[in-house]
Amino acid sequence: MGKAFLKPALVAAVTAVVALTAAVATRPSDTEIAVAAAPEPPAAAVFHPVVREAAARTGNYAAEYTVYRPADLDRVRGRLPVVVFGNGACRHVSNDELLTVETLLAAHGFVVVAVGGFDKPALTENGSPDPKVITDAITWAGRENDRRGSDLRDRLDPRRIGVTGHSCGGIEALVAGADPRVKSVLSLDSGFFEDGTLGYGRENLRKLHTPTLFVDGGPNDVAYPNSGANYDLVTVPAVRATNPAAGHTGFVYGQRDGNPDPSVREEAVRVLVAWFDFTLNGNRTARGYFLGAGCGLCATPGWTVSSKNF
């Protein structure tokens, strides 16, 4: 399937999905929180049409990348935070599993750099963790921000880099979280095994230096024990959010209790958006989605939330 077919189809899909999930259609006043004259609206209340495109090949990286970003950068004031996304099963070639989630995250004002090539066919590859696919994506974003001729030149904020991944991709993100360029980590249905299965043990949790969120789908999620144990062990500010209806893949594929239900994916997207809005943008409304007795996610049916070290 080539670019000529993929891009129009995906742009149409993006427009439909964003329209369904955006709660409030409003333009941001200024994404540079530090210099804002007035409080920012939360990213969850802001949406943009999204472009999905191939990442420019500017170096010898551990993987090819696909970029999701607001389509009209001239309507976005200030520089944008960057979130790097790793795939379940540590898929480093194909780029289809998280397409909807990544699109929606970008629609709320983030540049998403996803592991996997733009025009690669959907594959059921099973790889091994390689955190370099995450850290190389951070390097790519920095180069693209400086590169003459790049649409993203001077549009990205290298001080606001988040990493995340689903399942095996979450292990890659947790290891990459030790990189000093990373300012926020999100583990989605993931976590290190006690015996170091997949090559990385829980000693890596000591290397984390930024706020970290563990999201899991409850006892039916194969990652549930690791998610809980990893949360218990980390010493950085951390949140754990659980929805037992999602299992291991419900957040990604839109399944609640094993049945099709896009709303559980929308809830997961809201969690991702609010987390990175809180930890990368410093938005106080987004902070309240996770912290405090009346936190927004705490009041969302089906979710349980714990936090520490804030």
Side-chain angles (χ1 to χ4, degrees), residues 250-266:
F251 296 134
V252 175
Y253 297 122
Q255 296 172 337
R256 192 185 299 272
D257 295 320
N259 300 309
D261 185 349
S263 68
V264 74
R265 180 169 53 201
E266 294 168 14

Side-chain angles (χ1 to χ4, degrees), residues 15 27 39 72 160 170-171 181 190 220 233 278-279 291 295:
T15 302
R27 291 176 56 190
D72 188 351
R160 293 187 287 156
I171 290 177
R181 297 172 295 179
S190 189
N220 290 328
L233 289 170
F278 164 32
T279 55
L291 304 181
C295 80

